[in-house]
Amino acid sequence: MRARAGSRAGVRVAAGRFPWLLAAPAVLGLAFLVAPLLGLLLRAPWSTFGTRLLMPEVREALVLSLVTATAATAVSLLLGVPLAWLLARTELPGRRVVRALVTVPLVIPPVVGGVALLMVLGRRGVLGQYAYDWFGYSLPFTTAAVVVAQVFVAMPFLVVSVEGALRAADRRYEDAAATLGATRGMIFRRVTLPMVAPGVAAGAVLCWARALGEFGATITFAGNFPGRTQTMPLAVYLAMQESPESAVVLSLVLLAVSLAILIGLRGHWSGAP
Amino acid sequence: MRDLPRILRRAAGSAALGLLLGAAACAEVDGSATGAEGSDPRTLTVFAAASLTDTFEELAERFEADHPGTEVEFNFAGSSELAGQITEGAPADVFASADTRTMALVVDAGAAEGEPRVFARNSLEIAVPPDNPAGITGLADLAGEDVRVALCAEEVPCGAATRTVLEESGVDVEPATWEPDVRAALTRVRLGEVDAALVYRTDVIAAGDDVTGIDFEEAAAAVNDYPVVDLADAPQPDLAAEWVELVRSGTGGGVLEAAGFDVAAPE
């Protein structure tokens, strides 16, 4: 299916003049994004690739990364989709301010986000101190803290994407369902959600990818301990201190795994080419 | 990329120097530092271990005062990171590392001009919050079950020193986190997220009243030597040599000692 769609597009371009004006910057843009990747591949220590790859810490960090990024995406879906709906479909007072607040984590450096999380949820944080005093529980340095850091940084991608999809969706279907007597919850589940499913899927993929690459907020808020809070980006950063070759290997592993998953999901979901 | 600001700075500096010339202040300009390019402001780029931040910034003020028209620019980071940047060809004049192992990487890569010289020594200390919630008195207390500790990751110099100390003393510490550099470990103490961290004595002094330092005997097992060297591809070789000289001088020693370093005996 997809192959045929592609060739048809090719024919259409060939029929007119080749769009140089767009193609030149497009190729340049692509080259800019791909060149660093090629650099990694060229500098990779292929002779020792296998042995570096089989170190137990690598598997540990990779598993932790995949698990936490997936958990962070699940949490983001649970909280982010309703938030997007609120922004797109209600006349919430101060909606503009809320929308700006949602995008704050996109703007501030993740390290600062991590510090902010510590200020609130740390052992002496605004809220964290009570959890520690009353229950002896403290969030930093746990795997849960990794997920929290990732949700903080990645959820805005999901919210923005879903809100866009909600705005673009035709509201008349929802109105029709309402006149037919459907309740609000029913409309949301049976009409709205299926309509914006591609947007939700795209947002979830973005969110997952961002969570997978999360570094600054994680190392600041969750610390670095192998098997507990050391995700792949942290492992890459620490490997960089001692052996850049190992860092390259780790980066390529992260890249390969995430590309495989993303490409796999894209075909599976939504049918978007 | 780096050239544009340098050109701008040069232009601005020339204008400023023109005024100085008018005031006949040029007589103050140190001949050996400026040479034929006497009218150009110059930038000395120093790559230094993060633990040298405060002392080197203080020394830079003196250096700039002694060399009018010269600006000292720093890149403070973990020594290994800096060594990596230098061997990858980053334009730097001087490298000051927090251990000899990292310095050896730069020397082995042929990036050093002269012989690295040890100019200071630093040793580990236990940093605790001022109220010392876990009641730490010595290294053995860090192994306590409910004591939350931040240690430097083994990949960075303070982590290598930490490992040596723990191995020599036989104390088995399970930290809450392996921090990527010594200041990060100290920040954990400042924020009260951990009960103790193993950091350098200089970092404890720099933190002032925010943390309390506890000396421990076993620290003698891992004293870090700080070597400095001028680099082979230095854009400003003469300034680089003078910086190394300043760091090793009595003036440099005084500043370093006040910050908690042991100053190496002059050779």
Side-chain angles (χ1 to χ4, degrees), chain B residues 95-230:
Chain B
F95 177 46
S97 159
D99 71 347
T100 44
R101 186 188 62 143
T102 325
M103 180 57 84
L105 295 176
V106 170
V107 174
D108 291 347
E113 172 69 32
E115 186 79 13
R117 303 276 187 188
V118 173
F119 64 96
R121 297 199 165 86
N122 208 352
S123 49
L124 294 176
E125 205 168 54
I126 302 168
V128 297
D131 57 344
N132 196 357
I136 306 284
T137 57
L139 189 65
D141 293 339
L142 301 189
E145 196 139 299
D146 292 328
V147 179
R148 205 189 291 188
V149 181
L151 296 180
C152 290
E154 286 181 1
E155 289 87 345
V156 295
C158 65
T162 299
R163 183 169 62 179
T164 308
V165 163
L166 293 179
E167 272 173 4
E168 293 279 318
S169 61
V171 177
D172 189 18
V173 179
E174 156 116 358
T177 175
W178 296 100
E179 293 295 312
D181 65 68
V182 64
R183 293 279 164 120
L186 190 70
T187 301
R188 299 289 181 203
V189 179
R190 281 183 159 175
L191 292 174
E193 291 301 328
V194 298
D195 302 312
L198 275 186
V199 299
Y200 292 124
R201 193 147 53 106
T202 51
D203 295 301
V204 173
I205 289 178
D209 296 336
D210 288 349
V211 305
T212 305
I214 299 170
D215 279 316
F216 59 99
E217 274 176 36
E218 299 90 332
V223 176
N224 265 51
D225 287 340
Y226 280 62
V228 63
V229 77
D230 45 345

Side-chain angles (χ1 to χ4, degrees), chain A residues 52-229:
Chain A
R52 288 176 204 268
L53 199 63
L54 290 175
M55 309 236 291
E57 303 90 59
V58 176
R59 202 180 48 89
E60 226 171 35
L62 185 63
V63 169
L64 185 71
S65 268
L66 294 175
V67 168
T68 52
T70 306
T73 308
V75 173
S76 297
L77 279 169
L78 225 58
L79 306 176
V81 172
L83 179 55
W85 181 84
L86 213 68
L87 285 171
R89 288 294 155 85
T90 63
E91 299 301 321
L92 195 71
R95 214 167 29 155
R96 287 187 171 189
V97 179
V98 174
R99 189 175 297 126
L101 288 176
V102 166
T103 53
V104 161
L106 298 179
V107 180
I108 60 171
V111 173
V112 178
V115 172
L117 287 172
L118 273 179
M119 302 284 175
V120 176
L121 301 173
R123 194 162 74 161
R124 295 201 180 158
V126 179
L127 300 175
Q129 57 178 327
Y130 300 110
Y132 186 69
D133 289 347
W134 296 345
F135 311 110
Y137 179 79
S138 101
L139 187 59
F141 313 123
T142 63
T143 304
V146 176
V147 176
V148 168
Q150 290 176 345
V151 169
F152 179 78
V153 172
M155 188 164 71
F157 287 89
L158 180 92
V159 175
V160 168
S161 163
V162 174
E163 196 207 341
L166 279 168
R167 289 182 172 281
D170 196 335
R171 291 193 70 163
R172 283 176 299 179
Y173 292 104
E174 290 167 347
D175 294 341
T179 41
L180 292 171
T183 62
R184 263 199 161 178
M186 218 159 139
I187 296 172
F188 182 73
R189 268 183 293 116
R190 308 284 290 273
V191 181
T192 314
L193 265 189
M195 240 183 342
V196 297
V200 175
V205 166
L206 257 183
C207 173
W208 185 81
R210 180 66 190 84
L212 195 69
E214 211 319 288
F215 170 75
T218 308
I219 200 162
T220 314
F221 183 56
N224 168 56
F225 195 91
R228 196 163 63 212
T229 60

Side-chain angles (χ1 to χ4, degrees), chain B residues 10-45:
Chain B
R10 193 166 288 186
S14 304
L17 240 129
L19 291 175
L20 278 181
L21 284 170
C26 62
E28 304 259 325
V29 175
D30 185 270
S32 67
T34 47
E37 295 183 318
S39 57
D40 276 338
R42 303 194 298 170
T43 303
L44 173 71
T45 308

Side-chain angles (χ1 to χ4, degrees), chain A residues 15-29:
Chain A
R17 257 180 344 113
F18 190 74
W20 285 111
L21 217 59
L22 289 178
V27 167
L28 202 65

